[in-house]
């Protein structure tokens, strides 16, 4: 049978969830099973928004540990909010804590309430649920580097909360 102009052709795109071998976090599972990869990214990992991150670095990564257990490290980021671009610095036990502190210093509240990382296609997908104190949203970051994936998820979550 040949399709006619009266019979629309539909292209079935696999659901976002099909890209993972492990179950996705409960809070995004239904959406991930019902939309395509591109549609999920557009919703949960927006590429635009008022908050953007440029450079990111651990400023003392080469410093040897002097004691056992978690140790504070120095981090630096170039952050843009709207048309304002500036460099922020923070000392924290890890990159997410550092970025959260940098955002707090700019008056942007974000509490991470759930955090999951899963491999997919040679990259790491970070699913993060965050709250600004009055609303809660899920967001996603994607990168070959798990740390950058997590930071992208933080930025995406702030942008989703600001646009809600």
């Amino acid at each position: 049978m040949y399709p006619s102009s009266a019979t629309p052709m539909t292209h079935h795109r696999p659901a976002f969830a099909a890209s993972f071998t492990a179950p996705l976090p409960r809070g995004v599972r239904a959406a991930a099973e019902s939309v395509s990869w591109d549609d999920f990214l557009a919703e949960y990992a927006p590429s635009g928004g008022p908050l953007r991150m440029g450079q990111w670095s651990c400023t003392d990564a080469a410093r040897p540990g002097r004691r056992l257990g978690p140790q504070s490290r120095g981090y630096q980021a170039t952050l843009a909010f709207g048309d304002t671009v500036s460099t922020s610095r923070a000392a924290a036990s890890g990159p997410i804590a550092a970025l959260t502190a940098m955002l707090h210093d700019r008056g942007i509240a974000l509490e991470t309430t759930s955090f999951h990382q899963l491999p997919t296609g040679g990259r790491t997908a970070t699913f993060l649920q965050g709250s600004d104190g009055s609303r809660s949203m899920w967001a996603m970051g994607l990168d070959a580097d798990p740390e950058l994936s997590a930071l992208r998820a933080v930025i995406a979550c702030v942008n989703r909360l600001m646009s809600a």
Side-chain angles (χ1 to χ4, degrees), residues 94-161:
I96 295 173
L99 181 55
T100 302
M102 291 174 194
L103 295 173
H104 182 266
D105 290 345
R106 292 170 155 244
I108 301 170
L110 180 70
E111 177 184 3
T112 300
T113 57
S114 190
F115 180 91
H116 305 265
Q117 286 191 311
L118 297 171
T120 182
R123 297 182 286 182
T124 299
T126 301
F127 299 92
L128 181 138
Q129 183 181 35
S131 172
D132 62 5
S134 61
R135 291 178 315 244
S136 183
M137 290 255 181
W138 280 93
M140 190 190 104
L142 185 67
D143 199 279
D145 180 313
E147 182 177 306
L148 288 177
S149 173
L151 297 172
R152 291 182 195 285
V154 170
I155 298 296
C157 191
V158 168
N159 282 328
R160 290 197 73 216
L161 284 164

